[in-house]
Amino acid sequence: MKTIQARTEHTLHPLMAERWSTRAFDLERRVPAEHLQSMLEAARWTPSCFNAQPWRFLVCDYHEQRAPWQQALHCLTEKNQSWACKAPVLILAFARERFSHNEQPNRWAHYDTGAAMMSLVLQATASGLMSHQMGGYDSAKVRSEFAVPDGYTPTAIAAIGYPGASDHLLDEHKAGESAPRVRQPLSALMDQHGHWSFTD
C-alpha cells in the first residue's frame, strides 16, 4: 500500500506527514516484539502533569495470545470489527484518574494519555507500521472483559500492523484508503494575535 502523504501548508518532518490511519492491515504479518517495545518506550517518555504518567496499556497480539486479542476485537463496534479483525495487534489505552503521589483527581489524565498515544503511533510510523486509533468500542465491555480496576478509564483502542489489502473493507471504508487527506486550514485553528473568537 502506498503511503498517502499529507499536503501541508508548512514544512513537516516526514514522520508527521506520513502518519495516517489505514483500515487495511495484514493479519498474517507479525509485528516484531522490538517494534512493540519501542512504541511503548516512546509512550513512556511522553511529558505529563507532575510526571504522573497516568497511561496504562494492554497489548493484545494475535500471534502471541489469541484469546485476549479476540476479547479486545469483540469490544469494538461492529463496523470497527469489520476491518480491525485484520490488525495483528490491538492496544487498549487507559487513564489513571488520580495522581499516584497524593491520590487527588488528575484532570489532565486523559490529555496526557492522548499525548502518550501520539508518541506511540509516531514511533509505529518510524518503524514502518500503520496505526488506527478508535473510540468506537464498548467501555463497559472493556472493563468486564479485562477486569479493569476502579480508577482507570478506557480511552482508546489502537490497531497496529503492516499495511494490507483493502478488498475485505466495507465500500465506505475502501474509499478512504485512497482519498486525499484533509484538515481544516491552520487559520481556523489558531490566532497569533489573541483575537480568536472561538467560533466555528
Side-chain angles (χ1 to χ4, degrees), residues 74-191:
H74 290 151
C75 290
L76 296 171
T77 61
E78 189 175 340
K79 278 192 175 181
N80 281 340
Q81 286 185 43
S82 72
W83 60 265
C85 63
K86 296 292 187 180
V89 174
L90 296 172
I91 297 180
L92 290 77
F94 303 84
R96 190 180 195 275
E97 297 291 348
R98 293 181 177 271
F99 287 110
S100 54
H101 69 281
N102 61 11
E103 291 302 322
Q104 293 300 305
N106 179 0
R107 68 185 185 93
W108 299 277
H110 292 258
Y111 177 88
D112 291 342
T113 300
M117 284 298 290
M118 189 61 185
S119 296
L120 187 152
V121 301
L122 285 176
Q123 182 60 43
T125 302
S127 300
L129 293 158
M130 304 295 283
S131 62
H132 191 121
Q133 299 178 74
M134 295 168 277
Y137 61 89
D138 186 326
S139 184
K141 195 168 185 179
V142 168
R143 288 185 177 280
S144 173
E145 290 284 341
F146 294 98
V148 178
D150 291 342
Y152 292 85
T153 301
T155 60
I157 299 179
I160 306 289
Y162 289 99
S166 61
D167 11 349
H168 71 284
L169 297 179
L170 300 173
D171 287 343
E172 63 190 271
H173 292 158
K174 280 182 183 176
E177 293 300 304
S178 57
R181 296 169 59 195
V182 295
R183 292 293 189 274
Q184 294 185 56
L186 188 58
S187 59
L189 305 177
M190 56 85 70
D191 186 284

